[in-house]
Amino acid sequence: MDIRHRNNVKVTGRDGGPALVLAHGFGCDQNMWRLVVPALAERYRLVLFDYVGSGGSDLSAWSEERYSSLHGYAQDVVEVCEELDLREAVFVGHSVSAMVGVLATQAAPERIGALVMVTPSPCYIDDEGYRGGFSTEDIDELLASLEANYLGWSSAMAPVIMGNPERPELGQELTNSFCATDPDIARVFARTTFLTDSRDDLKGVSVPTLVLECEQDAIAPREVGAYVHAAIPSSRLVTLDATGHCPQLSAPEATSEAILAFLESV
C-alpha cells in the first residue's frame, strides 16, 4: 500500500534535525496547520498528513472496523512514521489527535520522542472527580443530532467549537471543513472521539510533553488541561491567551511560539 498516497502525506520545511508530525482533529485535515507552518518550517522538517477518511486521503482505504477506535488512527501515524523512517519525531496533535499521539508513542516508542498536545481531552464526559465539560446526556444529544442532520449539526457546532464569534470567518472555515467530510465517516469518527476514555493511557507517557490549552475553550475546559498535565509527570502546561478550541487558527503566532520554545528546551 502506498502510505504517502493513502494519507496524503506532505513533507516541507528544513532538512535535517527532528521532524514534526502535525496531526489534525475531528472533521478537519492538514490545512488546519497552514498558519503555523511557516514559523515551524524555518527550523524543522514538517510532516503533514490526513487520517484515512479525512481531507485528501484515499477514502477507499477507510473501514469502520479500524476507525471505530483511536488505535486505528494511531496506526495511521505509526505507518506514516515508518514510511518516512522517522526517529525521535515530535508528534503535534490537535484535540483528539493528542490522545492518538499518546497511543502512537506507546505503539512505536522509537519513532516518537516528544509530544505536543494542542487543546487535548482524554475524556469529554464528566465523571466523579473529573470535569470533561459534558454530561453523558450532552454527548448523547450531540451524537444524535449529528447522525440525524450532519450538515445542520456542522453549521451549528463549528462556530461553538471555534469560538471567537467576533471573527466569524474562522467558524465558517471550520463549518466548511466539517461539511466536506463524508457524513458516514464523520459519524464514526465523532463517536470514537466523544465516547473514548483515554485517561488511563496518560499514565504511560514518559516522553517530554507540552500541553497547550486556551484561556477559554468550550470543548476542553481548563480543568482538562490541568488534569492532563498532572497525569503526565514529564509535561509542561502552557495556557495561551486565546479562546476557542483551535488556537492554530485563532492564535497562530502564540501557538507556534509556544511550540518552538518547548522544542528548544527538549
Side-chain angles (χ1 to χ4, degrees):
M1 180 179 293
D2 184 346
I3 301 298
R4 298 188 190 218
H5 170 72
R6 186 194 70 180
N7 288 98
N8 191 29
V9 177
K10 309 291 184 185
V11 180
T12 188
R14 183 177 177 180
D15 290 333
L20 273 59
V21 180
L22 306 180
H24 63 83
F26 165 79
C28 303
D29 60 26
Q30 61 186 263
N31 193 52
M32 292 288 286
W33 297 107
R34 70 185 187 281
L35 299 183
V36 300
V37 161
L40 299 178
E42 288 182 3
R43 305 186 199 180
Y44 296 95
R45 181 187 182 202
L46 306 184
V47 176
L48 298 109
F49 73 100
D50 298 328
Y51 289 117
V52 172
S54 302
S57 67
D58 181 359
L59 299 185
S60 68
W62 185 84
S63 74
E64 182 169 353
E65 180 180 5
R66 173 163 170 156
Y67 295 104
S68 291
S69 164
L70 291 187
H71 289 278
Y73 297 94
Q75 191 60 34
D76 274 17
V77 173
V78 171
E79 290 171 0
V80 168
C81 290
E82 290 174 344
E83 171 68 19
L84 299 177
D85 195 24
L86 301 182
R87 305 279 175 174
E88 297 293 309
V90 178
F91 181 87
V92 184
H94 173 231
S95 192
V96 66
S97 273
M99 297 305 126
V100 172
V102 169
L103 297 177
T105 302
Q106 294 169 355
E110 74 283 3
R111 301 291 179 183
I112 300 173
L115 292 174
V116 176
M117 309 173 86
V118 182
T119 59
S121 179
C123 180
Y124 291 92
I125 299 175
D126 298 337
D127 195 5
E128 184 176 353
Y130 174 81
R131 181 175 180 237
F134 299 87
S135 67
T136 300
E137 292 75 20
D138 290 335
I139 294 298
D140 288 344
E141 290 177 8
L142 182 151
L143 294 173
S145 175
L146 181 152
E147 293 177 6
N149 180 2
Y150 177 63
L151 295 182
W153 178 89
S154 298
S155 297
M157 279 299 297
V160 174
I161 294 170
M162 179 60 70
N164 298 275
E166 74 285 0
R167 300 164 67 188
E169 69 278 5
L170 294 178
Q172 187 59 53
E173 176 173 343
L174 191 59
T175 299
N176 294 341
S177 180
F178 281 6
C179 291
T181 305
D182 180 281
D184 290 333
I185 292 175
R187 171 182 56 80
V188 174
F189 199 177
R191 295 188 70 84
T192 303
T193 297
F194 290 108
L195 296 179
T196 296
D197 185 346
S198 300
R199 286 177 290 176
D200 285 346
D201 295 315
L202 296 175
K203 301 173 185 176
V205 177
S206 59
V207 299
T209 301
L210 172 64
V211 180
L212 279 183
E213 65 176 7
C214 292
E215 284 279 1
Q216 298 179 32
D217 184 345
I219 303 301
R222 291 187 60 181
E223 290 93 335
V224 174
Y227 179 92
V228 173
H229 174 48
I232 303 176
S234 56
S235 68
R236 177 186 307 170
L237 175 64
V238 172
T239 304
L240 299 174
D241 183 15
T243 60
H245 194 57
C246 306
Q248 69 271 50
L249 285 180
S250 63
E253 291 185 6
T255 301
S256 57
E257 287 173 2
I259 294 173
L260 289 171
F262 168 72
L263 294 175
E264 290 171 0
S265 69
V266 297

